Amino acid sequence: MNSKLKEKNWNVSLEKEISEMWENESLYDFSMEDKREIFTIDTPPPYPSGRPWHAGAAAHYSQIDMIARTARMMNYNVLFPIGIDRNGLPVEIYTEKKFKISMISTPREKFIGLCKIALDDLEVEMIATMKKMGLSGLFKQYYRTDSEDYRALTQTTFIELWEKGLIYQAMRPNNYCYKCRTTIADAEIYYMELPSKLVFIKFKLTNEKGHLLIATTRPELLSSCQVILVNPEDERFKDVINQEVEIPIFGNIVKVKSHPSAKMEFGSGAVMICSYGDYTDVLLFRELKLQEKISIDTTGRMTENANKYKGLKIKEARDRIIEDLKGLNLINKIEEINHRTPICERSKTPIEIIPMEEFYLKQIDFKQSLLEQAKKLKFHPEEHRRRLLDWIEAIAIDWPISRRRYNATEIPVWYCNACRTPNLPKPGKYYRPWIESPPFKKCKECNGEEFSGEERTFDTWMDSSISPLFISKYNRDDSFYNKTYPIQLRPQSKDIIRTWLHYTILRCIQLTDKSPFTHAWIMGYGVDEKGERMSKSKGNVIDPIPILEKNGADTFRLWSASEVNLGSDFRISEKKINGMGKFLTKLWNISKFISMFPIVKSTPLDTDKWILDELSKVVKESLNGYNDFNFFIPANKVREFIWNVFAPNYMEMVKQRAYGIDVDENSKLAAWSTLHICLKTSLLLLAPIMPFITDKIWREMYSKESIHKQIFPHAKWNFGYIQHTQNIINFNSKVWNEKRNKGISLKDPISINIPEELNLFKNDLIAMHKIN
Ligand SMILES: [Zn+2]
């Protein structure tokens, strides 16, 4: 008998052929003609920024592809877009490094051109990697977030929200990163405990001899100090409340006031309030109506207010002021402490608080409806809902959406030179006000005819947060939009819950009054073998490309599905990935064997009934996993079934029957039929996880139509035979062990009693073990 599978072994190079076949067949195209229910996935557009793609990201994207394939096998018409995120800072930084230039000193148009060149190269690589991973997305029509279409939509939504009164301009102290030279939102900040010096400085009391001791980690802000606060309950300072002190070095006089925000246990208990050390200072300046005095500029250097320290960098000014205070004998002591410091997520620089005029999108007013949507959304896994709720509850300011960068969507505004009124163009087109004349003649306010174009751009989350609207063709194709929006599922990683997930819900409810999606599918981090997060600086980043080249995508994907239990962090180990290859070899060998036998229909015998029951159990469990988009369950269940139950036990028990040795015709046909049912069903259950090998086997054995056009099997059998599984496995192991102990081959005959409870399977067991 001949095997239908031509190749002797499964090998990685077959994946390339299969992938080309899929492309030639347009297997994963999306068509509106297909009348089945649409399932849309809001694929996160990956960001090409020059690093090798992290193996954790590759695992993430291969799982998103499993979602698409799962939905197809659930009989949906699946819209699985592929996009590339090309806006924003990381590419600017990459471009500066690659071409050895600085953005600030390069003409804007030239800089943007260089960003595009850098992006194009990176994008080609990224698309190739996604294809290599077996992604079944719409590569033909992949989108870019810096395309005219995309940017026009971002600008259109800005104009719509401006007209709804949800956007305003305000001069406010805000988070500022002087490395990135731009205002940033709270959502782009994280906190780190950094070693810092807590300096105890003597402030001279003006109307008596003596000093007030004040502790600070920011002595460079002395020139910005406008008040000293002590806690009203702090007995130590009862006598100095409402007195005045002289600021060391600078000589100006400020008052001591009592305020509950002063922490008695911190430093000396007396604290200087400066514009601005942190966000508490901002609130206190407002509450106490203090005049702000800014000592740090947008380049991270000291301003005129810092007198002789003007022009120094923050750190230099801090060191110099400490030295000068020492010289004046005004330092009581210096403690080394760890200080909770806000850090810019992108540049890893401590942020400053600097007042700047920015555009703000209202979000505080929407907290209630955001909370309602967050409660309605179906989270996979549930535990990540808390992260979103906590973030929404913590929102204290509206979202500053303007940035001072180049490689991003322009804010579509022209200012009237006569009256400064912002004039907005009509929505629907892409505008570049920094280089284009306005598409109108007169100022709507004063009929003025001279305008200056806005030079700022949007926070790139303004683009990313409308991805569900872009892929459903909001404002571009009403019939498409009505059929696809709200979409079904947003897959994303947990570190961007407070940015991408939050901002998307905010923007979409503002624009459409509807939550953008039904399911939020959240993935954890890929960490190294020791459980540490991967980073370039630690040197523990694993590049997925050599792994994919060596092991193939199916092995990598099977590893990813077997390792990542929905939503939790997962360890990436090359050894483990390599090990998964064994299962593909096994699956290929089993299929080769089964493919020798014709596909027939027949009535099952008892051994067949038993394995069909086991198979039904695997089907049921796997579908439970798939329904929750948790691939950990089917990957492990099907693998265990094949490795531990089907191949070593069932297949061995029916081999003699299948070969037709000493059996009647029906027994032979029953074996053939059951072997095929088990293999076919297992292939279908594995297809979303290992799309290459399953399709190859499927087409060579079962049908010319791809396995990826099939739907999931259902659990059909229930003969009540599951109870026998453990006994069968135990008995077979016992016989193998005895043969081994006796030093005879597994093919040699043996005398052994078959326990009564296995009577149903007696004939197959005798044939399998050659029992006398
Ligand atoms: Zn005007």
Side-chain angles (χ1 to χ4, degrees):
M1 278 187 266
N2 287 325
S3 164
K4 278 195 195 160
L5 299 188
K6 287 173 225 95
E7 313 284 334
K8 188 156 180 275
N9 294 305
W10 172 252
N11 70 78
V12 176
S13 66
L14 292 169
E15 289 186 353
K16 195 164 177 267
E17 270 170 43
I18 297 167
S19 172
E20 282 164 8
M21 176 174 71
W22 290 340
E23 238 179 298
N24 293 336
E25 290 175 352
S26 302
L27 188 62
Y28 307 115
D29 277 11
F30 173 77
S31 164
M32 276 309 231
E33 304 300 309
D34 184 336
K35 294 301 171 207
R36 291 174 302 166
E37 199 181 327
I38 297 172
F39 189 100
T40 304
I41 298 166
D42 189 12
T43 323
Y47 199 103
S49 64
R51 282 166 290 184
W53 223 21
H54 189 297
H60 185 52
Y61 278 86
S62 61
Q63 295 233 334
I64 294 171
D65 180 63
M66 292 175 208
I67 294 174
R69 293 180 182 278
T70 298
R72 281 192 205 103
M73 294 192 79
M74 289 173 168
N75 207 22
Y76 286 102
N77 180 18
V78 174
L79 174 57
F80 180 25
I82 298 288
I84 300 284
D85 190 5
R86 294 170 47 113
N87 291 318
L89 192 73
V91 166
E92 292 181 341
I93 294 170
Y94 175 78
T95 303
E96 285 181 323
K97 273 195 201 139
K98 182 179 165 107
F99 297 103
K100 298 188 178 64
I101 50 169
S102 103
M103 183 187 93
I104 306 294
S105 50
T106 309
R108 184 163 179 164
E109 211 162 4
K110 188 178 168 200
F111 188 78
I112 292 172
L114 292 174
C115 285
K116 285 210 189 307
I117 292 171
L119 278 163
D120 289 348
D121 289 348
L122 296 169
E123 183 180 289
V124 169
E125 228 174 82
M126 190 156 252
I127 294 278
T129 306
M130 287 199 273
K131 283 187 178 170
K132 200 187 265 289
M133 279 161 33
L135 260 60
S136 57
L138 284 175
F139 286 103
K140 276 182 203 161
Q141 299 126 301
Y142 78 87
Y143 70 86
R144 293 167 161 173
T145 59
D146 66 347
S147 68
E148 277 202 21
D149 269 3
Y150 204 111
R151 286 189 170 173
L153 184 61
T154 303
Q155 293 181 336
T156 295
T157 60
F158 169 83
I159 297 165
E160 281 178 28
L161 296 179
W162 174 272
E163 279 159 7
K164 282 187 181 179
L166 298 183
I167 293 171
Y168 60 91
Q169 274 187 290
M171 180 79 166
R172 278 185 188 169
N174 219 319
N175 309 310
Y176 187 87
C177 172
Y178 56 82
K179 200 74 163 284
C180 302
R181 301 247 173 134
T182 187
T183 296
I184 54 176
D186 282 352
E188 295 166 287
I189 286 171
Y190 66 99
Y191 287 84
M192 256 174 90
E193 294 283 334
L194 290 183
S196 172
K197 287 187 167 71
L198 182 62
V199 188
F200 289 73
I201 305 169
K202 297 184 223 167
F203 283 53
K204 191 170 169 289
L205 285 154
T206 51
N207 43 357
E208 54 183 290
K209 286 193 176 159
H211 290 95
L212 182 60
L213 205 55
I214 290 165
T216 179
T217 58
R218 305 287 310 264
E220 72 278 16
L221 288 176
L222 271 179
S223 52
S224 291
C225 172
Q226 296 292 52
V227 71
I228 307 293
L229 296 183
V230 297
N231 195 291
E233 295 185 357
D234 199 334
E235 293 293 325
R236 294 173 293 178
F237 300 112
K238 252 170 72 186
D239 298 335
V240 296
I241 292 172
N242 289 328
Q243 287 209 35
E244 288 174 335
V245 292
E246 186 188 307
I247 309 268
I249 300 175
F250 297 92
N252 35 324
I253 308 294
V254 301
K255 252 194 162 168
V256 181
K257 289 187 177 171
S258 73
H259 196 279
S261 70
K263 290 188 195 114
M264 287 156 64
E265 67 285 357
F266 180 78
S268 66
V271 32
M272 61 176 205
I273 304 301
C274 313
S275 48
Y276 291 100
D278 57 23
Y279 202 71
T280 315
D281 289 349
V282 176
L283 299 176
L284 288 166
F285 263 72
R286 253 179 236 162
E287 180 187 333
L288 304 172
K289 300 195 167 58
L290 302 170
Q291 182 67 43
E292 73 184 11
K293 203 170 162 197
I294 302 301
S295 299
I296 295 170
D297 73 9
T298 54
T299 65
R301 289 179 187 273
M302 304 312 289
T303 65
E304 276 173 359
N305 286 333
N307 295 351
K308 62 175 177 172
Y309 305 100
K310 182 189 168 189
L312 293 181
K313 289 183 179 167
I314 297 168
K315 175 80 177 39
E316 291 167 350
R318 184 179 305 164
D319 293 344
R320 282 272 294 279
I321 287 177
I322 292 174
E323 281 316 302
D324 292 351
L325 288 169
K326 275 184 187 160
L328 294 166
N329 207 14
L330 290 177
I331 291 190
N332 174 276
K333 60 173 172 176
I334 297 179
E335 283 177 5
E336 301 288 336
I337 60 161
N338 277 329
H339 189 60
R340 193 166 173 267
T341 313
I343 308 283
C344 167
E345 206 171 64
R346 300 233 154 101
S347 69
K348 321 285 178 227
T349 314
I351 64 126
E352 291 297 331
I353 292 176
I354 292 179
M356 300 272 259
E357 165 120 31
E358 303 291 1
F359 283 95
Y360 286 84
L361 177 63
K362 288 187 183 173
Q363 60 176 352
I364 295 174
D365 294 354
F366 288 85
K367 280 174 79 163
Q368 206 44 48
S369 46
L370 287 167
L371 287 170
E372 278 164 29
Q373 296 306 335
K375 282 172 192 158
K376 271 196 233 155
L377 202 54
K378 288 179 194 146
F379 272 84
H380 308 261
E382 171 59 33
E383 67 194 72
H384 289 307
R385 184 192 308 280
R386 194 67 249 165
R387 281 174 183 256
L388 180 60
L389 290 172
D390 287 350
W391 175 248
I392 297 168
E393 274 157 10
I395 289 170
I397 56 165
D398 287 332
W399 175 16
I401 55 172
S402 39
R403 299 287 183 272
R404 290 149 214 278
R405 301 294 304 183
Y406 289 170
N407 181 45
T409 302
E410 292 84 350
I411 298 177
V413 171
W414 280 266
Y415 301 92
C416 168
N417 286 353
C419 73
R420 297 309 302 159
T421 299
N423 282 255
L424 274 67
K426 285 203 185 79
K429 277 174 68 182
Y430 173 46
Y431 300 102
R432 300 190 303 159
W434 58 276
I435 200 172
E436 293 170 1
S437 4
F440 39 75
K441 288 270 174 293
K442 288 186 173 171
C443 169
K444 60 172 185 180
E445 201 61 38
C446 74
N447 286 329
E449 290 178 6
E450 300 280 322
F451 296 92
S452 310
E454 170 62 78
E455 296 196 339
R456 284 171 296 171
T457 57
F458 287 119
D459 176 356
T460 54
W461 290 115
M462 277 290 278
D463 302 286
S464 320
S465 58
I466 52 166
S467 56
L469 300 177
F470 184 79
I471 60 175
S472 62
K473 303 193 179 178
Y474 173 78
N475 239 330
R476 303 198 325 279
D477 180 341
D478 285 348
S479 126
F480 193 94
Y481 171 73
N482 290 330
K483 282 181 190 138
T484 50
Y485 187 86
I487 62 160
Q488 275 63 43
L489 186 140
R490 152 65 65 83
Q492 64 163 75
S493 72
K494 70 176 177 190
D495 54 342
I496 49 175
I497 288 178
R498 59 186 197 171
T499 47
W500 199 31
L501 187 59
H502 160 64
Y503 286 146
T504 306
I505 300 172
L506 172 71
R507 299 261 276 128
C508 289
I509 58 174
Q510 287 175 339
L511 290 157
T512 69
D513 285 323
K514 281 180 201 158
S515 181
F517 25 69
T518 319
H519 303 269
W521 182 91
I522 312 286
M523 183 140 158
Y525 304 128
V527 294
D528 73 3
E529 279 177 274
K530 288 177 217 133
E532 279 181 52
R533 276 198 81 173
M534 292 192 189
S535 76
K536 232 178 168 181
S537 55
K538 279 190 220 150
N540 61 349
V541 176
I542 298 175
D543 182 352
I545 295 176
I547 296 179
L548 284 169
E549 272 164 8
K550 184 175 156 212
N551 300 282
D554 272 356
T555 301
F556 181 81
R557 293 168 64 114
L558 176 64
W559 161 79
S560 151
S562 313
E563 190 70 22
V564 184
N565 199 350
L566 191 60
S568 51
D569 293 352
F570 53 99
R571 295 183 182 211
I572 302 173
S573 141
E574 268 196 78
K575 231 206 234 151
K576 264 194 160 171
I577 299 173
N578 297 341
M580 282 292 163
K582 284 189 208 136
F583 179 71
L584 279 88
T585 306
K586 184 90 183 168
L587 184 63
W588 190 259
N589 291 339
I590 288 171
S591 305
K592 259 185 106 76
F593 170 72
I594 296 175
S595 75
M596 293 191 299
F597 308 114
I599 301 160
V600 293
K601 278 199 172 139
S602 176
T603 322
L605 308 189
D606 288 314
T607 308
D608 311 322
K609 287 180 181 171
W610 160 65
I611 200 69
L612 290 172
D613 271 2
E614 273 295 318
L615 181 71
S616 294
K617 192 175 124 210
V618 175
V619 171
K620 206 186 277 170
E621 289 167 335
S622 299
L623 293 183
N624 282 341
Y626 278 124
N627 280 322
D628 197 18
F629 305 105
N630 185 356
F631 311 108
F632 182 80
I633 296 173
N636 287 299
K637 293 293 174 190
V638 182
R639 205 158 44 98
E640 280 163 20
F641 169 74
I642 290 178
W643 267 119
N644 304 333
V645 184
F646 178 71
N649 292 284
Y650 177 76
M651 273 177 53
E652 295 302 326
M653 284 165 83
V654 302
K655 244 181 197 164
Q656 305 299 316
R657 267 206 274 146
Y659 285 130
I661 299 168
D662 297 336
V663 289
D664 58 45
E665 187 66 7
N666 181 57
S667 304
K668 184 176 79 178
L669 296 183
W672 288 357
S673 148
T674 310
L675 284 167
H676 278 295
I677 291 171
C678 289
L679 176 62
K680 228 175 145 171
T681 307
S682 302
L683 290 174
L684 289 166
L685 291 178
L686 289 169
I689 297 168
M690 303 194 295
F692 292 97
I693 191 171
T694 53
D695 202 22
K696 179 79 177 167
I697 297 171
W698 182 267
R699 294 198 201 210
E700 296 204 359
M701 287 181 64
Y702 296 118
S703 143
K704 282 206 177 93
E705 190 185 62
S706 169
I707 195 168
H708 303 302
K709 291 270 186 197
Q710 317 302 319
I711 57 170
F712 277 130
H714 47 270
K716 272 186 217 148
W717 295 277
N718 187 6
F719 298 107
Y721 277 33
I722 292 272
Q723 46 163 326
H724 300 297
T725 304
Q726 209 46 55
N727 290 335
I728 292 173
I729 292 176
N730 290 348
F731 178 74
N732 286 337
S733 312
K734 191 180 145 195
V735 180
W736 292 324
N737 277 332
E738 273 207 42
K739 285 190 175 178
R740 220 168 282 136
N741 291 340
K742 285 185 174 160
I744 58 173
S745 143
L746 293 182
K747 285 173 193 152
D748 289 335
I750 191 171
S751 303
I752 203 164
N753 279 333
I754 298 174
E756 194 136 327
E757 64 266 24
L758 292 179
N759 257 342
L760 286 170
F761 314 107
K762 204 170 175 182
N763 292 342
D764 287 333
L765 290 171
I766 289 172
M768 170 183 182
H769 296 295
K770 298 215 166 62
I771 295 173
N772 292 329

